[in-house]
Amino acid sequence: MSATPVRFAIPTAVQVRLFDEQGRVLFLRRAGTGFFDGFWSLPGGHVENGESLRQAAVRELAEELGIEVAQEALTPVAVVHRASDTNRIEFLFEARRWQGEARIAEPHRCDGLCWADPARPPQPFAPYLAVVWSRLGQAWLLEVGWD
């Protein structure tokens, strides 16, 4: 009798490109997490047990930025399967409508917010996002780090 193979669960996360009225995107600088600290990234995080992707995005935006976004205001942009730091799957959304004023609501995880032209993200930019950034909206499935 052979041993049962060990199954590997891939962490699943959501990220949101939040646009303002001028077409700028909100970036946050990670800090204190041990995960790409010091790099600019997008708001988001892990999908929790029992959550849909959109529910996770709404929760993460409320936790990280103190804003309210309706699930129907989230437009899917891409799925990124990456092997940059670990084997992960990220679902990226865009939102152009929300309530509240974006602020650092988790100072123990983020030490900066920046609205920037999406063509010029702040630096240093999270490496896995830098690889796919110019292709968002052009391809639905993007894979990073598997070469």
Side-chain angles (χ1 to χ4, degrees), residues 83-101:
S84 59
D85 60 311
T86 61
N87 185 354
R88 291 180 181 267
I89 297 176
E90 306 266 351
F91 290 84
L92 275 73
F93 292 92
E94 288 183 354
R96 296 177 186 270
R97 297 182 330 271
W98 68 91
Q99 293 182 348
E101 186 171 332

Side-chain angles (χ1 to χ4, degrees), residues 25 31 51 58 69 78 80 82-83 86 95 98 101 107 109 117 124 133:
V25 171
E51 282 184 321
V58 166
V69 178
V80 179
R82 65 183 172 93
T86 61
W98 68 91
E101 186 171 332
R109 295 176 177 241
D117 180 332
W133 193 254

Side-chain angles (χ1 to χ4, degrees), residues 72-140:
E72 56 273 7
L74 295 164
T75 303
V77 176
V79 176
V80 179
H81 184 206
R82 65 183 172 93
S84 59
D85 60 311
T86 61
N87 185 354
R88 291 180 181 267
I89 297 176
E90 306 266 351
F91 290 84
L92 275 73
F93 292 92
E94 288 183 354
R96 296 177 186 270
R97 297 182 330 271
W98 68 91
Q99 293 182 348
E101 186 171 332
R103 60 179 171 77
I104 298 173
E106 292 183 318
H108 58 289
R109 295 176 177 241
C110 169
D111 67 1
L113 292 180
C114 170
W115 288 100
D117 180 332
R120 289 186 271 146
Q123 299 299 317
F125 195 31
Y128 65 94
L129 281 174
V131 170
V132 300
W133 193 254
S134 66
R135 297 186 294 165
L136 292 180
Q138 298 174 14
W140 176 242

Side-chain angles (χ1 to χ4, degrees), residues 55-66:
Q55 287 170 337
V58 166
R59 177 185 50 77
E60 288 289 348
L61 291 170
E63 289 175 359
E64 293 185 357
L65 302 173

Side-chain angles (χ1 to χ4, degrees), residues 27-40:
F27 296 92
L28 56 81
R29 188 173 50 219
R30 302 187 56 84
T33 67
F35 182 75
F36 289 109
D37 289 340
F39 286 89
W40 290 93

